[in-house]
Amino acid sequence: MNYFYGFMGFLCLLMFLFPVFYYLQKGLLSKQYFSLVLFLLAGVFIFSEIGVSIISIILSAVIVINVLFYTFFSIRGLKKKKILNDPFTFEPSVSIVIAAKDEGNVIGDTLRSLCEIDYPRDNFNIVVIDDGSSDNTCFEVEELRKVFPNIILESNESSKGKAWSINSVISRLDSEFILILDADHLVDENILRNMVKSFEYEDVSCVQSASLVRNGSVNLLTKMLELEYIFRCKSIYPGKSIGIFVGSGGMFRRVDLIDLGGFNTEMLTEDVELSYRIYKSGKRIAYNCDITTFELATPDYKNFYNQRYRWMRGLWSAMFRHLFHKDSYMLDFRTKVQFIQFTLDGFVVFCFCLLQVYFFLGLIELITFKMQWPIFILSLNCIFTFGIGFWRVSKWSNFNYLILFSFYMIAHTYPFMMALIDSYLLKKPEVWIKTDRSVLVK
């Protein structure tokens, strides 16, 4: 086991060094700054007994605190009762809104899935907003309109972005609720009946469903993403006292969306930013893990990197905008803590990787650090927490892949680290990078 963690630490060390040489070669990192970094690293090694110990204590504290969060949330989620069999009958009008740009290879399956929803045909429609597509997206939508007239096609002459596209239609719709979906998400036939039940409470502004990966068998990356989604959506999120809208699979009261001014078109993660404003308005988001949408995970690392890089920059930006602003008093302490924990998930993995670097350096006796227990305790917690998720979805065979999840954590940390460098060191502007659906395998 020591050699395994040592090897992982070596890979982490290469990952941490790569951005330094990359930006140095690109001329984006000054030689003076590079010299300062080397000087600080040399200082840490010279005073390793003190410096490394202090840093390792901080890293270990971050890991242990989040292990406690994960354990608490996963156990608490088991105690929440299901509401799908509730006799509450409610069939309000619903509009399913999909903003699509170049989604021709995936949107057909999604629309066919939506056409099979068990819900009164007079009470729901499907609004597809073609956001300046250059492929066959419009053709796919038009073909399905011939057999399902409840589909409405809106078109933008040029790409305006998901947030702008959704904002452009919500005030013109006459439905009571809006379900927002991505173009690659398949749904269960009872999704609308089950989601509206959670709106029995007036303070619920949004209901967020769980999401799972449906193409996990394509390659190792999609399998790791399948495991991550199970970990988050079926184990951790059910135990949280707050829900967060994550871009797809969320149903809203349309009037609340209008009152809040819709989505912020300047944010990379307009979904999470809206979640902050919902809680500040005195309303809340209900998370229902018993309702699930099924999405396509990207099978190539380039799109995975771009997606996670965008998420990281957007999440941190939204957190600083709302938690460190003069109106942050509108959020109670518990809500703030859970928003911070949600945002810092990537930071926990970053600390995990950095601690493994220290373990590797200690193993080859460059420093005296050889503390292994924080790494070990996080590994044990992952087995427990993943186990609850696997139990919920009845996929015990996924345990066979857990040993490989450590490598995925390194792959996940790299875009997180680059996002921090670009945001707070190089001050790069935020630019939306769309996930290329053409690489998705059905």
Side-chain angles (χ1 to χ4, degrees):
M1 186 61 71
N2 282 355
Y3 290 108
F4 174 76
Y5 286 134
F7 177 65
M8 295 300 300
F10 175 70
L11 294 180
C12 291
L13 179 61
L14 293 180
M15 176 195 66
F16 285 124
L17 289 177
F18 178 79
V20 176
F21 293 104
Y22 173 79
Y23 283 122
L24 189 65
Q25 186 267 333
K26 290 287 186 180
L28 297 175
L29 195 63
S30 68
K31 292 182 179 179
Q32 292 82 355
Y33 178 80
F34 183 61
S35 299
L36 177 62
V37 171
L38 290 180
F39 177 78
L40 292 175
L41 288 175
V44 170
F45 287 122
I46 292 172
F47 302 102
S48 58
E49 292 296 337
I50 300 175
V52 173
S53 296
I54 293 175
I55 295 174
S56 63
I57 289 173
I58 296 173
L59 297 176
S60 301
V62 172
I63 291 174
V64 170
I65 289 172
N66 276 273
V67 163
L68 294 175
F69 272 120
Y70 294 151
T71 304
F72 174 75
F73 289 145
S74 56
I75 293 176
R76 186 171 183 265
L78 293 174
K79 298 179 180 180
K80 287 193 172 182
K81 66 175 183 179
K82 291 187 177 182
I83 63 171
L84 298 189
N85 296 322
D86 194 294
F88 177 62
T89 57
F90 189 35
E91 295 178 340
S93 56
V94 179
S95 289
I96 303 172
V97 178
I98 301 174
K101 176 177 171 59
D102 297 332
E103 308 279 11
N105 66 323
V106 296
I107 198 169
D109 288 343
T110 297
L111 292 178
R112 280 185 281 273
S113 170
L114 296 176
C115 292
E116 296 176 359
I117 288 177
D118 178 22
Y119 204 73
R121 288 294 186 259
D122 293 338
N123 284 22
F124 88 100
N125 57 24
I126 304 166
V127 181
V128 179
I129 310 165
D130 173 42
D131 189 31
S133 296
S134 57
D135 67 350
N136 63 331
T137 297
C138 285
F139 175 79
E140 289 286 337
V141 177
E142 291 288 2
E143 285 296 300
L144 282 164
R145 285 181 68 186
K146 297 176 182 178
V147 295
F148 195 80
N150 284 32
I151 298 177
I152 301 170
L153 177 62
E154 299 263 344
S155 295
N156 300 333
E157 292 184 4
S158 60
S159 180
K160 303 290 187 181
K162 178 180 178 180
W164 189 96
S165 298
I166 296 175
N167 288 345
S168 69
V169 302
I170 55 177
S171 62
R172 293 187 280 115
L173 298 174
D174 57 6
S175 54
E176 187 175 350
F177 295 93
I178 293 177
L179 172 61
I180 296 176
L181 281 179
D182 283 345
D184 63 316
H185 282 228
L186 303 186
V187 302
D188 182 84
E189 64 178 7
N190 294 316
I191 186 170
L192 296 187
R193 293 188 183 279
N194 290 331
M195 291 194 84
V196 297
K197 292 176 182 178
S198 295
F199 287 97
E200 184 178 8
Y201 304 99
E202 289 297 324
D203 65 334
V204 174
S205 183
C206 168
V207 176
Q208 175 63 51
S209 63
S211 183
L212 291 179
V213 167
R214 60 186 171 100
N215 62 333
S217 60
V218 171
N219 58 31
L220 188 57
L221 178 58
T222 59
K223 174 56 69 173
M224 293 300 102
L225 285 165
E226 179 184 334
L227 264 61
E228 181 193 348
Y229 275 59
I230 292 173
F231 176 84
R232 295 183 186 280
C233 298
K234 293 296 185 176
S235 185
I236 301 299
Y237 293 171
K240 292 191 173 185
S241 59
I242 70 169
I244 297 176
F245 176 53
V246 292
S248 182
M251 181 181 284
F252 295 83
R253 296 185 194 271
R254 188 175 70 92
V255 65
D256 286 348
L257 268 182
I258 295 174
D259 290 345
L260 289 168
F263 293 95
N264 188 326
T265 57
E266 298 179 355
M267 298 295 297
L268 290 180
T269 50
E270 73 286 336
D271 44 10
V272 176
E273 194 277 334
L274 176 66
S275 300
Y276 281 101
R277 286 189 281 131
I278 287 175
Y279 283 98
K280 284 185 175 180
S281 72
K283 299 294 186 69
R284 64 185 177 95
I285 301 173
Y287 181 78
N288 194 328
C289 71
D290 298 317
I291 306 171
T292 306
T293 63
F294 303 88
E295 67 176 274
L296 289 168
T298 177
D300 71 314
Y301 188 74
K302 178 182 177 181
N303 276 281
F304 170 80
Y305 172 89
N306 289 336
Q307 182 188 65
R308 296 308 168 108
Y309 174 89
R310 171 170 54 86
W311 288 0
M312 299 301 178
R313 295 197 69 175
L315 287 174
W316 284 73
S317 178
M319 181 178 71
F320 284 118
R321 176 186 291 252
H322 287 283
L323 295 186
F324 300 94
H325 196 264
K326 60 183 179 181
D327 64 350
S328 64
Y329 69 90
M330 301 173 70
L331 299 171
D332 61 47
F333 178 75
R334 183 175 60 176
T335 300
K336 289 180 181 178
V337 169
Q338 294 193 51
F339 266 117
I340 291 173
Q341 194 278 327
F342 174 82
T343 305
L344 294 185
D345 259 355
F347 185 65
V348 177
V349 182
F350 173 83
C351 293
F352 176 74
C353 291
L354 190 54
L355 209 56
Q356 288 191 116
V357 171
Y358 281 156
F359 183 78
F360 166 72
L361 295 177
L363 202 62
I364 61 176
E365 299 184 349
L366 283 180
I367 59 176
T368 58
F369 176 85
K370 290 184 181 179
M371 187 167 62
Q372 189 176 348
W373 69 267
I375 302 173
F376 185 68
I377 195 173
L378 181 60
S379 301
L380 282 179
N381 175 258
C382 283
I383 295 174
F384 171 75
T385 309
F386 272 110
I388 291 178
F390 296 159
W391 169 75
R392 282 187 181 274
V393 299
S394 300
K395 285 193 174 183
W396 298 107
S397 61
N398 281 330
F399 267 118
N400 299 330
Y401 296 93
L402 275 188
I403 189 67
L404 300 176
F405 202 74
S406 295
F407 296 96
Y408 173 75
M409 293 170 80
I410 299 176
H412 183 278
T413 299
Y414 182 63
F416 168 83
M417 182 173 56
M418 298 298 282
L420 287 183
I421 293 173
D422 289 349
S423 294
Y424 304 110
L425 181 61
L426 301 180
K427 305 291 185 181
K428 284 188 176 182
E430 295 181 347
V431 179
W432 175 274
I433 303 175
K434 184 184 182 299
T435 301
D436 181 9
R437 303 288 187 192
S438 65
V439 302
L440 296 179
V441 181
K442 296 182 180 181

